[in-house]
Amino acid sequence: MVVKVIDNKYDFRLQMVRHAIANNVSDASRVYERSRKTVRKWRDRYLSEGYKGLKDRSRKPHNSPNKTSLADRLYIGSL
């Protein structure tokens, strides 16, 4: 049995997670055509964070190693 992909990622993930909880990760992986690792990731996020865990997260880095330092920016601003 193959499930049609839903346009809304959130609803798709919720259905996949509910299937994984009701049955098992391997079965959900086959039905929703995703890897077991992916199904586990969304299941674990759902169990720890609830519905918020199913939303996309930013891929923006937490820091920028090449960013100009505050001291340099202040110096440049004073010129």
Side-chain angles (χ1 to χ4, degrees):
M1 177 174 114
V2 177
V3 175
K4 180 183 174 207
V5 176
I6 299 172
D7 291 334
N8 184 346
K9 289 181 189 180
Y10 180 82
D11 291 335
F12 178 80
R13 290 172 184 159
L14 182 60
Q15 283 185 0
M16 181 174 62
V17 164
R18 286 181 175 166
H19 187 92
I21 292 170
N23 299 298
N24 60 43
V25 172
S26 293
D27 188 45
S29 173
R30 278 190 299 275
V31 171
Y32 289 90
E33 296 180 334
R34 300 294 183 266
S35 69
R36 289 191 312 261
K37 182 178 177 182
T38 299
V39 175
R40 264 189 240 106
K41 174 180 78 170
W42 292 114
R43 181 202 59 193
D44 294 345
R45 282 187 187 179
Y46 176 75
L47 292 175
S48 65
E49 301 174 32
Y51 293 110
K52 281 187 353 181
L54 298 178
K55 293 184 178 181
D56 283 335
R57 293 183 178 173
S58 174
R59 294 176 182 223
K60 176 183 165 188
H62 294 289
N63 62 0
S64 178
N66 296 324
K67 183 177 180 180
T68 306
S69 69
L70 178 59
D72 288 343
R73 284 185 280 152
L74 292 174
Y75 174 75
I76 293 168
S78 67
L79 295 178

